[in-house]
Amino acid sequence: YTKASSSTSTSVTKIVATIRLLNSKGTVVKTKTDTIKPINGISKISDSKKLTSRGSYYVKTTLKVYKGTTLVETITSKSKTESY
């Protein structure tokens, strides 16, 4: 789970989200990119990954916020690290 906030107004037309699951060494375990449309200021994207190795993992998210075809903001966030 990760959360990101935008300072951009509600005129956002689409968000391109890139979500990366990384292990404690910073190695990317899985990447998902999807285009989502905001609904009432809230957007959700989900996926799953069966982990084959015990360890610590975290999620890095990059959101590219568009108004029409113009990129108006790029937001990055990182989740807390969780152990498996």
Side-chain angles (χ1 to χ4, degrees), residues 7-55:
S7 61
T8 305
S9 70
T10 57
S11 59
V12 170
T13 55
K14 74 175 179 178
I15 300 168
V16 177
T18 301
I19 301 168
R20 294 176 304 282
L21 174 65
L22 299 96
N23 64 21
S24 59
K25 295 178 183 178
T27 302
V28 176
V29 176
K30 183 170 185 176
T31 301
K32 177 172 182 149
T33 300
D34 206 353
T35 299
I36 50 181
K37 292 188 179 189
I39 300 169
N40 297 327
I42 297 173
S43 299
K44 293 182 181 182
I45 186 171
S46 65
D47 200 1
S48 63
K49 167 72 175 162
K50 183 175 182 177
L51 300 173
T52 57
S53 299
R54 295 186 86 60

